[in-house]
Amino acid sequence: MRTYIRNSALYALLTAPMIFGSGQTNAQNTQAGFDYPHPVKKICTVGETEFKNSWASITFPKATGWARAFEFAKIVGGHKFGPVYDKTSGMVYVFPADGPGFTDADANSDCDFFNWSTQMFYWLTSPVTAVGSFPTDPVPPTSTTDYVFASEFFYTLDEGSLKTQKGPLHTIGARTEKSNGTVDSIEQAGGSGVLFYNPPKSLPTNDNPLVYYSIHTNRPYGYQRAADLAPDLLGAGNVPKNFVQSEKEICDTIGFAFLNGYAEILDPIATGLYALFCLGDDNHVTSDTEALKDRFLKSVSDVASPPNSAVSVEQVETAVDYLAMSMELKMSWVEAASLENPEAYIRQEAIIPTFTARNDGGWALVQSGTKTATLALVGMHVVGSVKGHPEMIWATFEHANNTPNTNYVYLDEDDDVRLTTDIGFGSWLFSDSTPTAANMEYAIGESEQGGLKIVSAPGVRSADLTKASNVNRLSPWGTHIENAYDQKEIASAAESNSEVISANLAAIGALNGYYKNNAQAPSDPRVNYILTGASWGHTQEPGKLNTKIFPDGTNPNTIVGTAAMANTTMETFTQTFNGRISENGCFSCHGTYGSSNAFVVSHIFDSINSVEK
């Protein structure tokens, strides 16, 4: 049974490793091991109409002003595009949230930010080959499904360069370096920890497999870095010195891309859509507009170039650069062959490093080459800018079956505070469901000439080099209660947790509900992922920049949302700092720490030395 929190028992309940109330009672199961608490207060909602009109479809602006010089803009202006479905799996394509039009409509909750996070995750994991009607005989998606994050509309960070992704095979950056010179394909954020786990199914090598990582950015992020690297290029001076936070800033950034060959100016659909969003009566582009118009009119993107066939999602992706604004992703992966139910995961073919054992006075694993493998997504950081937030929203997602939640509170439908835990229940990919030796770091990564090396963490026997860590989520839903006797703190945590939980349930319900009228609904793996938190800074005045109100990494009061959040596949070993729960979450590493450089929140920005056209 669920347990109500009572005053005198607060500290014992919230700090005890034992179970107080079954995590299985009246719960809504998504995957073996994970349950949403039930009933939970419905704070954040996504209605069927909202999902249909602003998630599963997009309405283009009306063609006004100079946009009417573009035939395609006149054809589609004012019309709705969507829904569209993947031609094989039937997965519905979700469009990105409207970043330039973002508003925090409810000042009393953080729902707009949490819903933005989930919509962006659903977009990133949508099939880019969606073509229109629901297929007659849908089949589950596979490792060759072309997802948005693996499409040519995103870059992969590889050896200090942003490289355009071509096709479903993307490279996990085995040689990608962080700003501190260490390699990022196997190492976690905030340190150099390497995470091994006990696989449900043994891999051919019979070794404990490890978690791999990849880093990606969208095109506007890349355009901003390209302008920063070459400030003398036409239009570069108008690209903002912060991650875009307004209509004008994203329009100027994409305009720079058209002027300098990063976006295809000969594509009548791309230029027509850009004209709809940026060159109408409002004229959001105010700098180098004449140069841009001149280039457009000299190209084949003028009135003589209407499309001859139906528009595909891949072509419309040019427009969603505008909606998505600047984005950075970090993703965590395991080999799909180690899973009993790989079809329940987003999967991709990738190139990963291989290792052989070597005795250097202690056992080490040394990179011996690379191999192509099918990987399964276990975690994703979704980081993106919206109107008034150049510090970006930092959201994180995990597969539901990753890791158990330790004790946490939430509100039920009667506004009563309840306590529950996942410890002691279910089976998990990264945990034995106990708090024993939780989140112990056994291995760290190092770089050496020719590749990577994995060695034992300080104080760990070399015999435990590949020992699986027993992972617990220490701040479920991104909150942490410091004083278990403080009623206000408990109530605040319960409210915040209920917002995140209800946002998850609402989005999953809306996605599942969108298939209810189809006789053969697809196996959509997106429903198996959960938003575990999102954080951001205080709202900026669009068009202006005040880095002093960016989260600085030292003061939790500068952070809004779920400040204590961590992804257990990426920050396994940094959920605590000096024995305490990290109160600054993502901004412990990505805070400004007094810097006036607005790009400092992204660790990779200044280290990128080239952007591929």
Side-chain angles (χ1 to χ4, degrees):
M1 295 178 61
R2 296 287 185 182
T3 302
Y4 288 91
I5 295 179
R6 291 291 181 250
N7 292 338
S8 61
L10 294 180
Y11 183 80
L13 289 175
L14 289 170
T15 60
M18 303 303 291
I19 302 159
F20 293 88
S22 167
Q24 307 293 316
T25 303
N26 296 325
Q28 299 182 14
N29 184 268
T30 302
Q31 281 288 297
F34 176 77
D35 292 287
Y36 287 106
H38 180 74
V40 67
K41 183 178 181 180
K42 297 178 181 177
I43 304 176
C44 299
T45 61
V46 179
E48 183 177 338
T49 300
E50 179 185 357
F51 189 89
K52 178 181 179 180
N53 292 334
S54 61
W55 290 47
S57 63
I58 181 175
T59 299
F60 297 119
K62 292 182 179 180
T64 61
W66 199 70
R68 293 187 59 81
F70 294 78
E71 187 68 16
F72 183 71
K74 291 192 294 183
I75 292 172
V76 302
H79 292 284
K80 185 169 75 171
F81 179 73
V84 288
Y85 301 87
D86 181 48
K87 60 186 177 182
T88 56
S89 70
M91 289 177 64
V92 66
Y93 181 89
V94 173
F95 288 87
D98 183 359
F102 180 83
T103 57
D104 184 7
D106 186 356
N108 296 315
S109 80
D110 295 327
C111 292
D112 292 304
F113 293 89
F114 296 144
N115 287 345
W116 174 92
S117 303
T118 306
Q119 184 172 352
M120 297 306 279
F121 177 79
Y122 283 3
W123 167 59
L124 293 162
T125 51
S126 287
V128 78
T129 52
V131 293
S133 60
F134 194 80
T136 303
D137 297 305
V139 296
T142 69
S143 62
T144 60
T145 298
D146 295 330
Y147 293 108
V148 169
F149 69 82
S151 73
E152 63 181 8
F153 303 104
F154 270 74
Y155 293 107
T156 293
L157 181 62
D158 187 18
E159 295 186 331
S161 297
L162 289 182
K163 296 183 179 180
T164 302
Q165 299 177 149
K166 300 177 177 68
L169 180 67
H170 66 285
T171 300
I172 301 301
R175 299 295 303 281
T176 298
E177 293 192 355
K178 297 179 182 179
S179 58
N180 64 1
T182 59
V183 192
D184 198 52
S185 67
I186 57 170
E187 294 178 350
Q188 294 203 348
S192 55
V194 176
L195 178 59
F196 287 88
Y197 65 101
N198 285 317
K201 294 175 64 177
S202 296
L203 292 169
T205 59
N206 293 317
D207 291 333
N208 284 341
L210 65 151
V211 179
Y212 302 91
Y213 303 95
S214 61
I215 295 177
H216 314 260
T217 77
N218 73 341
R219 297 195 300 187
Y221 181 111
Y223 302 158
Q224 289 201 262
R225 180 54 179 162
D228 193 64
L229 286 169
D232 294 333
L233 290 178
L234 186 60
N238 304 309
V239 176
K241 297 297 183 181
N242 54 265
F243 292 114
V244 293
Q245 60 156 335
S246 68
E247 292 177 338
K248 180 187 179 302
E249 289 182 355
I250 185 61
C251 286
D252 277 338
T253 299
I254 299 175
F256 160 82
F258 276 122
L259 287 169
N260 294 283
Y262 290 96
E264 183 52 70
I265 204 167
L266 299 180
D267 182 350
I269 296 178
T271 52
L273 290 172
Y274 177 79
L276 278 178
F277 285 103
C278 297
L279 298 177
D281 284 337
D282 291 338
N283 259 340
H284 299 306
V285 176
T286 58
S287 305
D288 288 326
T289 305
E290 294 306 316
L292 193 62
K293 291 178 180 179
D294 183 61
R295 290 287 184 90
F296 281 162
L297 293 177
K298 286 181 179 179
S299 74
V300 296
S301 60
D302 59 14
V303 296
S305 306
N308 296 319
S309 59
V311 179
S312 69
V313 159
E314 289 178 287
Q315 292 168 311
V316 174
E317 284 294 335
T318 304
V320 303
D321 283 349
Y322 169 89
L323 298 174
M325 304 188 88
S326 290
M327 295 198 73
E328 177 182 349
L329 312 176
K330 185 169 184 177
M331 308 174 78
S332 53
W333 306 86
V334 298
E335 289 196 59
S338 71
L339 304 173
E340 292 180 336
N341 57 339
E343 69 282 352
Y345 292 75
I346 301 290
R347 290 170 288 168
Q348 283 286 283
E349 297 295 312
I351 298 173
I352 59 174
T354 57
F355 297 89
T356 56
R358 188 176 75 192
N359 194 331
D360 292 331
W363 286 107
L365 295 177
V366 180
Q367 184 176 353
S368 54
T370 60
K371 70 174 183 179
T372 299
T374 298
L375 300 187
L377 180 70
V378 291
M380 182 190 292
H381 284 330
V382 177
V383 183
S385 63
V386 298
K387 182 180 179 180
H389 289 278
E391 82 288 357
M392 303 197 285
I393 300 171
W394 297 72
T396 195
F397 291 81
E398 295 192 45
H399 194 276
N401 203 35
N402 278 357
T403 309
N405 287 319
T406 54
N407 295 341
Y408 67 91
V409 293
Y410 68 98
L411 296 178
D412 66 14
E413 292 174 327
D414 296 321
D415 270 338
D416 286 318
V417 177
R418 292 191 176 223
L419 173 77
T420 192
T421 184
D422 293 326
I423 299 297
F425 295 97
S427 58
W428 309 89
L429 183 61
F430 298 108
S431 178
D432 64 8
S433 196
T434 75
T436 304
N439 306 321
M440 283 288 294
E441 182 181 65
Y442 296 104
I444 59 174
E446 298 179 351
S447 59
E448 68 172 19
Q449 187 174 5
L452 311 173
K453 183 168 72 170
I454 301 173
V455 299
S456 298
V460 175
R461 300 179 309 155
S462 62
D464 291 334
L465 174 64
T466 60
K467 187 174 181 177
S469 297
N470 180 34
V471 183
N472 288 184
R473 186 175 294 111
L474 301 182
S475 298
W477 315 114
T479 63
H480 169 65
I481 296 174
E482 184 70 23
N483 183 356
Y485 293 97
D486 187 331
Q487 291 292 313
K488 289 184 178 180
E489 186 178 1
I490 292 168
S492 176
E495 180 88 9
S496 178
N497 290 344
S498 298
E499 288 181 357
V500 180
I501 295 166
S502 61
N504 274 293
L505 289 170
I508 290 173
L511 183 62
N512 277 330
Y514 210 75
Y515 297 126
K516 65 185 178 182
N517 294 324
N518 292 310
Q520 293 177 290
S523 300
D524 193 327
R526 290 175 290 191
V527 301
N528 298 320
Y529 292 85
I530 55 174
L531 168 71
T532 62
S535 59
W536 54 93
H538 295 286
T539 303
Q540 303 260 350
E541 183 179 348
K544 297 183 178 180
L545 183 67
N546 180 7
T547 55
K548 291 182 179 180
I549 66 171
F550 276 40
D552 65 1
T554 63
N555 183 3
N557 293 326
T558 63
I559 302 173
V560 188
T562 57
M565 59 187 269
N567 189 298
T568 61
T569 68
M570 301 189 209
E571 292 100 20
T572 311
F573 314 116
T574 55
Q575 295 182 71
T576 57
F577 181 72
N578 289 335
R580 294 169 57 87
I581 296 291
S582 174
E583 295 180 344
N584 289 280
C586 294
F587 292 106
S588 296
C589 291
H590 296 278
T592 59
Y593 289 92
S595 173
S596 60
N597 176 7
F599 292 127
V600 76
V601 294
S602 172
H603 291 171
I604 65 171
F605 189 86
D606 287 336
S607 64
I608 295 168
N609 53 48
S610 66
V611 180
E612 187 176 71
K613 291 186 179 180

